Amino acid sequence: MFRTIGAALIAACTLAGTAQATPQAAKGERLWQQRCAECHAVDTDQTGPRHRGVFGRRAGSVPDYDYSRAVRKSGVYWDAASLDRWLTDPEKFIPGQNMDFKVRNKAERAALIAYLQTLTPAPHP
Ligand code: HEC
């Protein structure tokens, strides 16, 4: 029983480690620190909502964060395509939103998205 849990934990850590280790995601993490950390944290809400688990979640769905109505009602799910459009120009993608920031460089957006993808939700205990 404990052996099984241990093995599963090791497998999970190895997987997370692999995702972090891709050069693309590592570059994304550096960019995220430089650009996004001013307003976002991984595990807490700041000016912007927390980023853990953002890849795959519905836009505007962190329970305690005060989103714009536009984002909450957008019906968008965050995947590589929608994140790319958002980061290119949030206001063009979801008019009325509150994030005053753009990433103009496509390669930088791709790296950032690869990093966001590594921030998988914490496993349920
Ligand atoms: C100047 C502050 C600021 C910066 C810098 C910023 N953001 Fe945001 N971000 C926000 C705010 C505010 C929101 C909430 C928007 C709303 O509710 O309309 C947000 C929302 C988001 C969302 C939607 C999250 C959700 O839960 O639906 C994503 C994804 C996101 N930001 C990614 C990024 C990334 C990646 C970067 C760095 C390239 C970044 N942001 C930089 C302020 C910022």
Side-chain angles (χ1 to χ4, degrees):
M1 161 79 171
F2 287 114
R3 280 249 298 276
T4 318
I5 293 173
L9 274 177
I10 291 168
C13 295
T14 312
L15 271 177
T18 314
Q20 294 279 348
T22 67
Q24 177 88 328
K27 179 183 164 197
E29 182 170 10
R30 284 194 299 276
L31 288 167
W32 187 91
Q33 291 294 350
Q34 290 162 8
R35 315 263 182 91
C36 319
E38 183 189 332
C39 294
H40 290 275
V42 172
D43 286 303
T44 56
D45 302 331
Q46 306 291 332
T47 304
R50 67 194 67 182
H51 272 169
R52 180 172 304 289
V54 70
F55 197 97
R57 96 185 163 209
R58 187 165 55 77
S61 64
V62 170
D64 297 331
Y65 178 79
D66 189 19
Y67 290 96
S68 64
R69 191 183 148 78
V71 165
R72 243 185 313 113
K73 302 282 176 199
S74 65
V76 164
Y77 278 80
W78 294 123
D79 61 15
S82 57
L83 284 167
D84 189 64
R85 290 180 67 191
W86 172 258
L87 293 176
T88 302
D89 190 340
E91 188 58 28
K92 196 169 162 201
F93 185 39
I94 305 179
Q97 58 74 43
N98 290 339
M99 175 163 135
D100 187 16
F101 196 76
K102 291 180 192 174
V103 182
R104 293 175 202 278
N105 182 293
K106 189 174 167 61
E108 290 181 352
R109 289 195 303 273
L112 284 159
I113 292 165
Y115 170 62
L116 290 178
Q117 206 168 356
T118 69
L119 302 176
T120 49
H124 293 289

